[in-house]
Amino acid sequence: MNMTEMGEVVAYLLRYRTAERQPGNGRKRRAAREGQLAERDVCALIDDALDTEREALRDFLAGQGLRLKVFESGDYPGIAPGSRLYALLPDPELEQPPLYTREPVFDALRLRQESRAELAQWYLQLWLLMQTLLYTRLNRALSDVSRYQEATFATSELIGLLREQLETLRAQGEGVPETSRALLEERGEDIARRVKAFIDLQVRAGQLETVREARDGAESEIWQQTLLGALEAEQVGVHHLSHLVDLLSGEPRPSAQEVDDESVSVAEEDRDTSGIVPEADEAQDDLLGMDEDSDAASVGERAAEERA
């Protein structure tokens, strides 16, 4: 694999995110297109590359904050016997370069002149609701990558969940957070249009694929999570959402007075044994671990950046 071929392989992987020797689930191999190699040729180039060429490819991708992972037929369901899946994933240990922006997300979801913060809120709501369909209702953990083929939903289901979410917000009346009020200004077919735009984004990013298209009399299209989507969800959960585990554990957060009392008690015990009063680092970390004034829109923008 010379430098020109390496560039063509990277260009293909940036476009489609995955390449398979023998695509599973009935998918046909992607044919060559103008300026793009065929899927068969991409796999052949990677398969036949020398160790030094593979190392050069890894270094090239690492410079962009990316990693090429290889999966055999026995690793996950859906990979055909004798096949091999190449998946291009962001490397959580490397910094992503500026070229990976959130602009495609904002452009796709924008219907009028919404601000970036408002669009981030729309993306965050839709992304969380999609996770409900892919994980929560299946009682599935992010680590259950092998169950990705079970994770299907209809377009109408996501639309219905979003409508329910907005009705829940409306029921709060004046208690609706300021950052969420923009969600209540939808008109007519806004919800369906935003859901369609969101799903299109996920398809373009290789996170979803269609299982069954809507036909005459059918309610809506059926979408399935891809193996790439399941792998990235697991990665995001482990490396970027782990700080939420304590918040979701259901244990009440101690009050400041309780923390102070406990710190004094621990300090007295240690003073009796060692004469040294410890600094209550854990208590301070617990108190400072969550900024109550944090802007939910910034959370939405981070979620949008992860999936863009």
Side-chain angles (χ1 to χ4, degrees), residues 6-294:
M6 183 184 299
E8 292 175 323
V9 167
V10 172
Y12 179 95
L13 293 171
L14 288 174
R15 170 65 179 83
Y16 295 109
R17 305 294 306 284
T18 61
E20 291 183 79
R21 279 181 181 173
Q22 302 171 26
N25 300 323
R27 181 177 70 81
K28 295 181 179 179
R29 283 196 184 94
R30 300 182 186 107
R33 50 186 294 184
E34 186 175 356
Q36 198 88 67
L37 291 177
E39 186 171 18
R40 183 198 304 269
D41 296 332
V42 170
C43 292
L45 284 170
I46 300 176
D47 287 341
D48 297 339
L50 302 174
D51 288 342
T52 54
E53 295 169 342
R54 288 173 182 265
E55 185 65 29
L57 177 60
R58 282 194 292 268
D59 291 343
F60 183 82
L61 292 172
Q64 303 175 68
L66 301 169
R67 177 188 298 167
L68 183 63
K69 301 199 73 172
V70 183
F71 301 97
E72 306 290 345
S73 57
D75 292 333
Y76 291 106
I79 303 178
S83 184
R84 181 177 290 168
L85 171 75
Y86 296 100
L88 187 63
L89 297 166
D91 191 326
E93 298 178 358
L94 299 175
E95 182 178 353
Q96 297 294 301
L99 66 91
Y100 297 104
T101 71
R102 292 164 286 187
E103 293 308 318
V105 173
F106 295 137
D107 291 342
L109 294 181
R110 182 175 285 111
L111 299 183
R112 287 175 289 277
Q113 297 300 317
E114 299 94 342
S115 67
R116 289 165 60 93
E118 291 171 342
L119 293 171
Q121 274 292 321
W122 277 110
Y123 188 92
L124 176 61
Q125 291 292 329
L126 287 163
W127 185 77
L128 290 173
L129 292 175
M130 183 178 72
Q131 306 315 306
T132 297
L133 295 172
L134 299 180
Y135 291 94
T136 306
R137 77 169 176 177
L138 298 176
N139 194 27
R140 175 182 172 222
L142 289 173
S143 57
D144 292 335
V145 175
S146 296
R147 297 178 60 191
Y148 75 96
Q149 292 172 312
E150 302 173 31
T152 62
F153 66 90
T155 304
S156 59
E157 290 181 297
L158 185 54
I159 291 174
L161 267 184
L162 182 56
R163 291 189 190 279
E164 291 177 15
Q165 177 71 6
L166 297 183
E167 289 304 316
T168 300
L169 287 174
R170 287 194 180 94
Q172 297 181 25
E174 295 300 321
V176 176
E178 183 68 31
T179 53
S180 298
R181 291 180 182 176
L183 302 177
L184 304 180
E185 299 177 1
E186 85 286 349
R187 313 169 193 169
E189 294 298 314
D190 281 5
I191 291 179
R193 292 169 63 190
R194 289 195 201 273
V195 167
K196 183 181 183 303
F198 175 79
I199 289 177
D200 287 345
L201 279 171
Q202 303 307 308
V203 172
R204 285 165 51 192
Q207 307 296 301
L208 296 175
E209 60 186 357
T210 183
V211 176
R212 185 171 68 252
E213 295 183 359
R215 303 185 185 280
D216 294 340
E219 185 179 6
S220 61
E221 289 181 301
I222 305 296
W223 304 96
Q224 176 194 294
Q225 186 182 39
T226 62
L227 177 54
L228 175 71
L231 290 166
E232 287 200 340
E234 178 190 37
Q235 182 170 285
V236 167
V238 171
H239 295 279
H240 302 294
L241 300 181
S242 57
H243 64 286
L244 297 178
V245 172
D246 291 339
L247 297 177
L248 298 176
S249 65
E251 297 181 3
R253 297 175 62 79
S255 64
Q257 183 61 49
E258 291 172 336
V259 172
D260 289 340
D261 292 344
E262 182 178 356
S263 299
V264 170
S265 175
V266 171
E268 289 177 348
E269 289 182 13
D270 286 357
R271 187 182 291 114
D272 291 339
T273 56
S274 65
I276 301 176
V277 179
E279 297 179 358
D281 289 337
E282 292 183 1
Q284 293 177 3
D285 289 344
D286 188 46
L287 287 172
L288 301 176
M290 193 67 176
D291 183 358
E292 294 180 354
D293 295 328
S294 62

